[in-house]
Amino acid sequence: MVSNRVVSLAPSVTEICRALDATDRLVGVTHHCRPDVPAVGGWLNPDFDVVEARDPDLVLTTDALQADVRDDLRDRGHRVVHVEPETLPEVVESFATVGRAIGKPTAGRALARRARSRIERVRRQVADERRPVVYCEEWSDPPTAAGNWVPDAVRAAGGEYPFVPSGERSHRVDSDAIEDAEPEHVFLHVCGRGERSDPETVLCRDWDVPALETRAVHVLDDSLLNQPSPRLIDGIETMARTLHPDVVE
């Protein structure tokens, strides 16, 4: 089924649509999305009447936090496709799922295939390198270690990530856990901050860890790690170049 009027209620699925060359089908997005398309509200609080007014033939949602939004829209009679990736392989598979949903299954499969190829290329480049311990901070007050697909992303980039198991939600970490792990690199990718985060928020902490001693605190645009879209593949490559600059192109 080809969908020509799509409302995307998450930046990640909007970005997937962009990568599928389907932004011309978007008739509504959230305030947090990049394309110049009419906004229908926020990620967690879309205006259902505005969504209705856009007359979509498909609404895209994602994440467990949008489950109520998904259900309410279905109750209103909308066709909703919901993706809820928790690990890196599931993120990549969601590219194909969105492709099928909007009527571009071949493009969706090709996008997923390219993503897997890029990830495998990085893995091969770092395969024989020493793997430093990495701490990824998704939120800073309180310090919150990134979960979901981020542990997989760190390992693909050639690092070790002892803070959250793959697939588990992000959660708060205390100073003892950080110091026990002795991270050599910190990646700061605070939700909603883009690249505006201040590394001093980490550097000023009383943590006895190698990353602070060497000032190896790296600020990333939050979309590069927090967003389950093709931007995550960019993030893996960026992280790998930071961790292993001598071997990753």
Side-chain angles (χ1 to χ4, degrees):
M1 177 179 178
V2 176
S3 296
N4 292 312
R5 296 187 62 82
V6 179
V7 168
S8 169
L9 294 183
S12 59
V13 284
T14 299
E15 186 64 20
I16 294 170
C17 288
R18 187 201 63 76
L20 293 170
D21 196 25
T23 53
D24 59 326
R25 303 187 188 190
L26 294 172
V27 297
V29 297
T30 74
H31 293 303
H32 314 289
C33 298
R34 294 194 295 172
D36 186 17
V37 177
V40 298
W43 178 54
L44 296 179
N45 57 342
D47 187 320
F48 293 145
D49 292 335
V50 176
V51 171
E52 189 84 32
R54 301 309 300 158
D55 190 27
D57 53 28
L58 172 68
V59 181
L60 297 171
T61 59
T62 185
D63 197 272
L65 294 175
Q66 281 196 313
D68 289 343
V69 170
R70 172 201 63 197
D71 294 344
D72 287 345
L73 286 166
R74 285 176 176 167
D75 289 344
R76 287 169 171 255
H78 291 287
R79 174 179 172 238
V80 181
V81 170
H82 181 84
V83 291
E84 197 172 308
E86 296 177 339
T87 65
L88 179 58
E90 291 172 359
V91 170
V92 174
E93 182 57 33
S94 73
F95 304 165
T97 301
V98 172
R100 287 193 301 272
I102 66 175
K104 299 190 73 168
T106 301
R109 290 193 298 270
L111 180 61
R113 193 162 51 247
R114 289 194 301 273
R116 293 188 188 99
S117 177
R118 289 169 63 188
I119 293 167
E120 287 307 313
R121 180 171 182 266
V122 172
R123 283 182 170 141
R124 288 194 300 271
Q125 289 176 320
V126 303
D128 297 327
E129 301 301 305
R130 188 183 71 82
R131 304 176 70 86
V133 175
V134 173
Y135 166 61
C136 292
E137 186 163 289
E138 178 180 302
W139 194 252
S140 296
D141 186 19
T144 300
N148 296 313
W149 46 82
V150 171
D152 294 332
V154 172
R155 293 180 186 112
E160 291 293 343
Y161 194 76
F163 302 101
V164 184
S166 171
E168 286 193 10
R169 303 292 286 194
S170 306
H171 61 68
R172 181 175 181 173
V173 288
D174 58 32
S175 299
D176 289 344
I178 297 292
E179 292 184 340
D180 287 347
E182 298 185 322
E184 298 167 66
H185 292 268
V186 172
F187 287 90
L188 192 60
H189 51 106
V190 177
C191 288
R193 293 288 297 173
E195 294 180 314
R196 294 170 292 138
S197 295
D198 183 356
E200 290 298 327
T201 61
V202 174
L203 289 166
C204 70
R205 293 175 188 163
D206 187 23
W207 289 353
D208 183 16
V209 298
L212 270 61
E213 293 174 6
T214 61
R215 299 185 68 83
V217 177
H218 319 285
V219 176
L220 291 182
D221 187 292
D222 56 312
S223 68
L224 291 175
L225 288 182
N226 299 347
Q227 191 181 100
S229 79
R231 292 284 288 163
L232 178 60
I233 316 305
D234 297 338
I236 291 171
E237 292 171 341
T238 300
M239 186 181 297
R241 285 192 292 268
T242 302
L243 299 178
H244 304 288
D246 294 334
V247 298
V248 179
E249 301 172 4

